[in-house]
C-alpha cells in the first residue's frame, strides 16, 4: 500500500532504544572501509572543513554581535565580532523598556506569532493524525479517492495559492481576522501523509485485541493507537511549530492591519520598507535574532526529530 | 466472519475522522484553485464580488495573451521575471545539490571528529525563517558591509551587491575585455523574444540576484545534506568493503559505488530544488521587491505585485497559473527521467 519512495520517512513504529547516541551503522562499523588518509591531507581536510563550517556560523555570530552595537558602530565596523561599546539599546527598544519614537510593535508581533503557532500546531497534530489513521486503517467508501486527491493537493506549489487564498478569505469575510490566519493552516497534506505512513507500520494485532474487548473506533484511536504514535506525533508537532512560526506568505495575503502582524510579516515590512528612517541594523538584527530563538531552542533539543522531519518532508514533492 | 459488520460500522467513523481535513483542504486549497481559474479570465480590481457579475468584466484569455503574446509592458516585465527565475534555477539547482552532497559526504566520514556538531552547524540555517536570514544577508552584503570589508583585505573591491542590476555575464565578459556592456552589438539589442532583447536575455542573473542565489544555497544545502546523508547511511557496507577488497581508491569508490547508489535520491533532491526555485518569493519581498531594475523580480512576486499592489487580480491569477504549468512541466519531465533510468523504482501514483 505504501508508495515506494527513495527515502522512507523515519516515522515507523518505535524502535528498541539505542544504547549510544551514534547512528546504528556507524557503531556497527567504526572502522572506515579505506584506510586513513595521510597526515598532511588530513590537516588540509580539517582546515577546509573548519573554513566551510565558519561560513555557516559566522553570519549568526555577526548578527548577534551587531545587535549589541550602536548604529554608528554597526555601520563603521560591520565585521567586528565584538561591539565597540556594548549596548542592549536595541533589545530595550524592542521590549518597550526604553522610550523611543522610532520603534516597532515587537511584543504584538511576538504575541500574534505565539498565538497562531500554538493553535495551528494543536490543530495539525489532532486533525492530521485523525485523517492519517482513517486513511491507513478504517474502511470507508471514497477512501481511495481521498488519498489520490491528497497526493494531488500536495503537488500544488504554495505560491500559486497566494491570490486564490485571498479570494476565498474575502468571500467568507475572514480576511484580516485571526480566523483567516489560523483556519486555513489547521490541516496540512504532508502531515496527513506522514501520519498515514506511520499508522500503516503499526501492527494490527493491538487494535484487534482492543476491538475484541469491545472498544469502539474512537476509543481504539484515542487510547490505543495515539499513545503508540508518540515519535510520529513529536515529529509532526515540531514540523508544525517550525512551519507556522516561520510562515510568511499566508499571513501576508490573509491580513493587512498592523494589529495582525506576526514576527515574519512585521519584520519583513520593517526591513523591506524601513530604508527611509536610517538603516537601524542593530534593531533589525535584534528582532531577527529574537524571532529565531524559539525555533533554535526547539532545534537544539529535538534535533533527532528535525532530521526525521527533513527526510519525511522529502517524500512530499 | 463478522468483518462485513465491522466495515459497516467503520464507514461513518472514517468520514468523521477525515471531515476536518477534507473541509479545510477543500475550502482553502481546492476551492481557491477553481475560483482563481475563473478570476484569471476576468478584468477585476479586487473591489466588488467577482462571482456575481458586478464590476468585473469577463475578458476570456486576455490576461494570458497580455503576458505571453501581445506586445506591451506587461509582457516585457513577465519575460524579465521569467529570465530572472530561469537563471536562478540554472545556478541554484546544481549549486545547492552539489553543496548538499559534499556536506553529506563530509559528515558521513567515519573517522571525522565532531561529526554531529558539524551536521548541526550545516543544518541550522535551514530551520530559521527566510525573513530572518534575509535580514542578516542584507546587512552582510551592504555596500560598506562585512563581505566587502573582508574582500578589501585581499585587495578586491566588492560590488554594491543588492543595488547592482548589472548582469554577471556582461560584467565578466567586460572585465575580460571580450565585450563592452555599454555598447552591445546591434544584433543583440535590436532582436529579441517576448519583448525582451537578446542582450537582456543573455545578461545572466544580476549581481543582486546572484546574492539571493547565494542566500538560497546557504539555507537549503543543509536540508539536502540530511536527505543525502540518510541515503549514504543506507548503502550496504558490504558493497563498499567488496570494492575495497578489489583495491579501489577513493575516487573510484565514489564514482562506481557511492554515486550510483545515490541516484534515486539525487533525482529526488533535484526535483525538490527545481520546484522550490520556481517559487522564490519571501526573499524577493525582503531584499528588494524586484529592484534593482527589475532584476530580482520573479514570476511569483510579480503575481503578488499585480494583484495586491496594482489591483489587477486577473493578471496576478493568470501569472500564478502559468507558474503552476511551469512547475508541473518540470516535475513531469523529472519523473519521466526517473522512470527511464530506474524502471523498478517507479512510484505507484
Amino acid at each position: 500500500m505504501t508508495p515506494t519512495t527513495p527515502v522512507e520517512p523515519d516515522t515507523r513504529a518505535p524502535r528498541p532504544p539505542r544504547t549510544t547516541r551514534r547512528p546504528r551503522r556507524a557503531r556497527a562499523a567504526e572502522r572506515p572501509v579505506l584506510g586513513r588518509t595521510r597526515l598532511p591531507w588530513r590537516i588540509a581536510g580539517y582546515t577546509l572543513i573548519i573554513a566551510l563550517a565558519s561560513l555557516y556560523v559566522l553570519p549568526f555570530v555577526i548578527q548577534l554581535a551587531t545587535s549589541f552595537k550602536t548604529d554608528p558602530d554597526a555601520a563603521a565596523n560591520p565585521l567586528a565580532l565584538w561591539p565597540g561599546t556594548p549596548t542592549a539599546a536595541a533589545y530595550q527598544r524592542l521590549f518597550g523598556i526604553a522610550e523611543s519614537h522610532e520603534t516597532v510593535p515587537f511584543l504584538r508581533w511576538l504575541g500574534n506569532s505565539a498565538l497562531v503557532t500554538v493553535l495551528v500546531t494543536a490543530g495539525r497534530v489532532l486533525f492530521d493524525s485523525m485523517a492519517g489513521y482513517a486513511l491507513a486503517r478504517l474502511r470507508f467508501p471514497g477512501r481511495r479517492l481521498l488519498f489520490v486527491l491528497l497526493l494531488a493537493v500536495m503537488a500544488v506549489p504554495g505560491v500559486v495559492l497566494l491570490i486564490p487564498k485571498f479570494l476565498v478569505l474575502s468571500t467568507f469575510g475572514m480576511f484580516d481576522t485571526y480566523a483567516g490566519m489560523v483556519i486555513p493552516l489547521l490541516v496540512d497534506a504532508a502531515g496527513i501523509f506522514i501520519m498515514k505512513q506511520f499508522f500503516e507500520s503499526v501492527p494490527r494485532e493491538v487494535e484487534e485485541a482492543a476491538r475484541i474487548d469491545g472498544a469502539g473506533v474512537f476509543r481504539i484511536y484515542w487510547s490505543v493507537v495515539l499513545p503508540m504514535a508518540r515519535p510520529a506525533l513529536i515529529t509532526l508537532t515540531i514540523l508544525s511549530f517550525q512551519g507556522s512560526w516561520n510562515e510568511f506568505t499566508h499571513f501576508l495575503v490573509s491580513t493587512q492591519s498592523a494589529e495582525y502582524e506576526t514576527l515574519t510579516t512585521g519584520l519583513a515590512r520593517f526591513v523591506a520598507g524601513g530604508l527611509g528612517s536610517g538603516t537601524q541594523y542593530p534593531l533589525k538584527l535584534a528582532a531577527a535574532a529574537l524571532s529565531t530563538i524559539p525555533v533554535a531552542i526547539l532545534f537544539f533539543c529535538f534535533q533527532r526529530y528535525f532530521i526525521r522531519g527533513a527526510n519525511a518532508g522529502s517524500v512530499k514533492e | 466472519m463478522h468483518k462485513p459488520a465491522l466495515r459497516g460500522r467503520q464507514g461513518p467513523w472514517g468520514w468523521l475522522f477525515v471531515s476536518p481535513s477534507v473541509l479545510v483542504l477543500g475550502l482553502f486549497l481546492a476551492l481557491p484553485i477553481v475560483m482563481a481559474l475563473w478570476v484569471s479570465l476576468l478584468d477585476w480590481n479586487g473591489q466588488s464580488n467577482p462571482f456575481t457579475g458586478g464590476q468585473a468584466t469577463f475578458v476570456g484569455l486576455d490576461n494570458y495573451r497580455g503576458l505571453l503574446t501581445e506586445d506591451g509592458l506587461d509582457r516585457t516585465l513577465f519575460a524579465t521575471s521569467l529570465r530572472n527565475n530561469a537563471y536562478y534555477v540554472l545556478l541554484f539547482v546544481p549549486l545547492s545539490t552539489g553543496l548538499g552532497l559534499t556536506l553529506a559526504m563530509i559528515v558521513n566520514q567515519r573517522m571525522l571528529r565532531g561529526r554531529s556538531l558539524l551536521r548541526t552547524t550545516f543544518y541550522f540555517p535551514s530551520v530559521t525563517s527566510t525573513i530572518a536570514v534575509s535580514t542578516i544577508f542584507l546587512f552582510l552584503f551592504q555596500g560598506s558591509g562585512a563581505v566587502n570589508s573582508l574582500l578589501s583585505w585581499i585587495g578586491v573591491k566588492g560590488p554594491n551587491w543588492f543595488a547592482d542590476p548589472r548582469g554577471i555575464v556582461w560584467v565578466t565578459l567586460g572585465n575580460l575585455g571580450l565585450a563592452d556592456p555599454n555598447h552591445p552589438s546591434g544584433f543583440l539589442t535590436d532582436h529579441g523574444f517576448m519583448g525582451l532583447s537578446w542582450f537582456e536575455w543573455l545578461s545572466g542573473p544580476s549581481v543582486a540576484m546572484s546574492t539571493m542565489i547565494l542566500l538560497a544555497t546557504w539555507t537549503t544545502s543543509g536540508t539536502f545534506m540530511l536527505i543525502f546523508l540518510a541515503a549514504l547511511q543506507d548503502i550496504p557496507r558490504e558493497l563498499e568493503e567488496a570494492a575495497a577488497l578489489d583495491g579501489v581508491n577513493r575516487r573510484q569508490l565514489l564514482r562506481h559505488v557511492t554515486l550510483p547508489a545515490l541516484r534515486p535520491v539525487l533525482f529526488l533532491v533535484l526535483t525538490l530544488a527545481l520546484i522550490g526555485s520556481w517559487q522564490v518569493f519571501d526573499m524577493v519581498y525582503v531584499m528588494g521587491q524586484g529592484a534593482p531594475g527589475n532584476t530580482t523580480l520573479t514570476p511569483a512576486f510579480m503575481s503578488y505585485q499585480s494583484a495586491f499592489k496594482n489591483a489587477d487580480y486577473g493578471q496576478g491569477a493568470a501569472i500564478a497559473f502559468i507558474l503552476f504549468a511551469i512547475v508541473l512541466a518540470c516535475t513531469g519531465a523529472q519523473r519521466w527521467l526517473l522512470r527511464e533510468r530506474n524502471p523498478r523504482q517507479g512510484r505507484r501514483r
Side-chain angles (χ1 to χ4, degrees):
Chain A
M1 287 304 291
T2 332
T4 11
T5 43
V7 183
E8 282 286 309
D10 198 358
T11 44
R12 283 158 290 197
R15 283 195 186 145
R18 294 169 180 171
T19 44
T20 67
R21 300 190 54 194
R22 287 276 181 87
R24 280 170 311 160
R25 208 172 292 278
R27 210 182 46 215
E30 205 56 66
R31 195 174 43 82
V33 174
L34 298 177
R36 293 198 106 176
T37 40
R38 296 227 193 103
L39 187 66
W41 281 113
R42 247 188 292 156
I43 293 173
Y46 272 106
T47 315
L48 208 70
I49 289 170
I50 289 169
L52 199 58
S54 43
L55 279 184
Y56 281 79
V57 177
L58 270 183
F60 294 110
V61 177
I62 293 180
Q63 174 192 23
L64 276 181
T66 309
S67 71
F68 287 102
K69 289 176 186 169
T70 57
D71 277 16
D73 188 19
N77 308 306
L79 201 52
L81 296 183
W82 193 255
T85 43
T87 165
Y91 293 93
Q92 286 170 345
R93 275 166 74 187
L94 287 178
F95 286 111
I97 300 168
E99 282 304 314
S100 165
H101 59 286
E102 270 181 47
T103 191
V104 288
F106 183 78
L107 289 176
R108 175 164 280 281
W109 297 351
L110 189 67
N112 283 340
S113 274
L115 175 74
V116 170
T117 302
V118 167
L119 293 176
V120 169
T121 307
R124 283 195 184 175
V125 170
L126 179 66
F127 296 142
D128 288 358
S129 65
M130 278 168 65
Y133 179 67
L135 288 176
R137 278 289 199 268
L138 303 179
R139 303 274 166 265
F140 58 96
R143 188 181 71 121
R144 222 165 247 282
L145 179 72
L146 273 184
F147 184 60
V148 172
L149 287 177
L150 184 77
L151 291 177
V153 155
M154 274 162 63
V156 179
V159 288
V160 169
L161 291 167
L162 288 182
I163 299 169
K165 267 187 185 165
F166 165 76
L167 293 174
V168 171
L169 289 174
S170 52
T171 307
F172 294 160
M174 284 160 69
F175 178 69
D176 220 18
T177 62
Y178 282 117
M181 293 169 78
V182 172
I183 294 174
L185 296 181
L186 277 182
V187 172
D188 79 316
I192 299 178
F193 192 75
I194 292 176
M195 292 314 291
K196 173 181 179 287
Q197 286 214 314
F198 174 82
F199 287 127
E200 274 168 354
S201 72
V202 175
R204 275 175 190 274
E205 288 73 31
V206 192
E207 288 162 71
E208 298 289 340
R211 191 167 294 141
I212 289 165
D213 287 348
V217 174
F218 189 78
R219 229 193 109 86
I220 293 175
Y221 161 76
W222 191 255
S223 9
V224 178
V225 177
L226 266 196
M228 287 198 303
R230 243 191 67 180
L233 288 178
I234 296 177
T235 303
L236 186 61
T237 308
I238 285 170
L239 282 183
S240 309
F241 183 94
Q242 185 210 3
S244 44
W245 187 266
N246 290 345
E247 177 65 48
F248 172 65
T249 48
H250 174 68
F251 301 144
L252 188 66
V253 298
S254 61
T255 62
Q256 71 183 157
S257 322
E259 62 178 302
Y260 295 114
E261 276 180 346
T262 62
L263 283 170
T264 48
T265 50
L267 183 63
R269 286 195 185 120
F270 176 44
V271 173
L275 290 169
S277 54
T279 52
Q280 303 192 61
Y281 268 111
L283 190 65
K284 289 175 186 171
L285 291 173
L290 288 175
S291 75
T292 310
I293 286 176
V295 176
I297 292 175
L298 203 68
F299 174 64
F300 290 118
C301 296
F302 295 98
Q303 220 192 115
R304 216 149 50 93
Y305 296 95
F306 269 91
I307 289 164
R308 276 184 191 174
N311 281 317
S314 64
V315 293
K316 120 180 186 198
E317 299 200 17
Chain B
M1 292 289 281
H2 56 286
K3 275 249 162 103
L6 255 180
R7 245 174 234 180
R9 272 195 292 139
Q10 279 184 358
W13 278 107
W15 276 101
L16 197 68
F17 270 51
V18 293
S19 54
S21 303
V22 169
L23 211 62
V24 171
L25 292 182
L27 284 181
F28 297 102
L29 268 164
L31 177 67
I33 294 175
V34 181
M35 283 168 82
L37 198 57
W38 171 243
V39 167
S40 79
L41 305 175
L42 300 178
D43 176 19
W44 178 51
N45 63 6
Q47 294 305 315
S48 56
N49 184 338
F51 305 103
T52 54
Q55 289 167 9
T57 346
F58 183 81
V59 293
L61 292 174
D62 273 7
N63 286 320
Y64 293 93
R65 267 190 223 114
L67 290 167
L68 296 173
T69 57
E70 270 163 29
D71 219 10
L73 271 179
D74 287 342
R75 191 177 70 155
T76 308
L77 203 59
F78 187 58
T80 310
S81 76
L82 284 180
R83 176 207 60 184
N84 296 338
N85 215 328
Y87 280 117
Y88 182 98
V89 171
L90 217 58
L91 286 179
F92 170 77
V93 173
L95 274 180
S96 60
T97 311
L99 188 58
L101 184 57
T102 312
L103 296 180
M105 296 226 185
I106 290 175
V107 175
N108 197 38
Q109 296 283 319
R110 292 194 177 87
M111 298 308 286
L112 185 72
R113 282 167 207 280
R115 291 188 308 165
S116 64
L117 184 66
L118 275 176
R119 194 184 56 190
T120 308
T121 307
F122 294 142
Y123 186 50
F124 185 64
S126 306
V127 301
T128 58
S129 87
T130 315
I131 308 297
V133 292
S134 300
T135 311
I136 305 178
F137 264 58
L138 273 177
F139 175 72
L140 294 179
F141 282 88
Q142 293 174 94
S144 57
V147 172
N148 279 354
S149 323
L150 208 61
L151 286 177
S152 69
W153 288 0
I154 54 167
V156 177
K157 194 186 172 304
N160 201 347
W161 303 93
F162 283 115
D164 196 335
R166 294 175 299 158
I168 59 169
V169 169
W170 297 126
V171 171
T172 317
L173 289 180
N175 286 344
L176 294 173
L178 293 173
D180 184 358
N182 298 319
H183 302 93
S185 84
F187 175 78
L188 287 180
T189 46
D190 295 344
H191 299 76
F193 174 63
M194 280 179 76
L196 201 64
S197 73
W198 288 119
F199 178 75
E200 292 282 337
W201 278 108
L202 295 174
S203 68
S206 67
V207 176
M209 186 52 127
S210 309
T211 319
M212 284 181 26
I213 296 172
L214 280 185
L215 169 62
T217 308
W218 186 70
T219 54
T220 319
S221 50
T223 310
F224 292 166
M225 171 195 76
L226 286 187
I227 299 175
F228 279 125
L229 195 59
L232 279 175
Q233 289 174 349
D234 276 346
I235 297 178
R237 194 174 154 78
E238 295 73 34
L239 210 62
E240 293 177 352
E241 274 168 354
L245 279 180
D246 287 343
V248 298
N249 61 28
R250 259 161 227 283
R251 203 178 320 141
Q252 288 167 324
L253 186 71
L254 177 69
R255 193 158 158 227
H256 297 290
V257 178
T258 315
L259 286 184
L262 286 183
R263 185 178 260 167
V265 177
L266 191 66
F267 272 94
L268 174 80
V269 169
L270 286 173
T271 316
L272 290 174
L274 197 61
I275 293 175
S277 52
W278 279 106
Q279 302 195 49
V280 199
F281 180 87
D282 301 15
M283 260 188 277
V284 181
Y285 186 94
V286 181
M287 295 181 138
Q289 313 223 335
N294 289 327
T295 58
T296 61
L297 188 72
T298 61
F301 191 77
M302 190 181 165
S303 153
Y304 170 80
Q305 206 175 29
S306 303
F308 295 95
K309 295 272 156 71
N310 307 336
D312 190 348
Y313 286 79
Q315 191 189 58
I319 296 174
F321 277 101
I322 297 174
L323 193 58
F324 194 9
I326 293 175
V327 171
L328 280 186
C330 287
T331 324
Q334 194 276 342
R335 190 159 291 181
W336 179 74
L337 282 170
L338 190 99
R339 188 160 301 154
E340 280 295 282
R341 311 209 175 172
N342 299 293
R344 284 187 303 139
Q345 278 283 344
R347 301 177 183 192
R348 49 177 301 280
R349 272 188 201 172

